[in-house]
Amino acid sequence: MHPVELPVQSDAVEFFGHPMVRSAHPTTIEVTKDAHLTINGDCIIGVRADKGLSDLSSGVRDALRSEGSAVTFTIVVPGKTFEFQAFGTSSLTLESVHEMVIRRSVYVCGRTLAVRAGAAAKDIPRDLVQTLRSPETKGLLRIEVRS
């Protein structure tokens, strides 16, 4: 008998680097449509994103709201990638038009994209973070949801 392949829903968010990217937060990773970033935004890895949560495809949004759905995130910048896992939950509202936050915890608000993540901003390899400190760097956040 062959294992059952779960259907995969996918989307991607394009964003840009910023000189203030520190990627130091111990519990979250954030991508925002905002163009500016301050020293306090230590979870933000990208700005000028082309999507907020409300812009994700309906297939991905539905799959993320399936309790226990498995999410694979891949951060892609020129010459480097970083992949980690998280989970969806039926309590996600996915309503933010400006940002998306991936959390280690199970806390959910309108900005939450996924919970119980296996990585936070501080876990992203420092050479990738260095690349994200250039405003010319174009990044991609790939989202693949199995529900």
Side-chain angles (χ1 to χ4, degrees), residues 15-81:
F15 61 88
F16 288 88
H18 188 281
M20 295 296 291
V21 167
R22 293 190 314 141
S23 194
H25 203 279
T27 62
T28 61
I29 295 173
E30 180 177 336
V31 174
T32 180
K33 283 185 171 181
D34 292 344
H36 301 289
L37 175 57
T38 69
I39 194 79
N40 295 329
D42 64 349
C43 66
I44 298 173
I45 62 160
V47 298
R48 296 188 287 148
D50 67 345
K51 296 176 185 170
L53 287 176
S54 62
D55 302 312
L56 293 173
S57 71
S58 60
V60 164
R61 291 165 55 81
D62 291 347
L64 284 165
R65 289 188 190 115
S66 176
E67 194 61 44
S69 55
V71 189
T72 300
F73 290 103
T74 309
I75 300 167
V76 182
V77 299
K80 299 171 183 67
T81 61

Side-chain angles (χ1 to χ4, degrees), residues 103-116:
R103 303 179 187 281
R104 278 194 190 271
S105 71
V106 295
Y107 175 78
V108 172
C109 71
R111 302 168 59 229
T112 305
L113 170 57
V115 296
R116 295 190 292 137

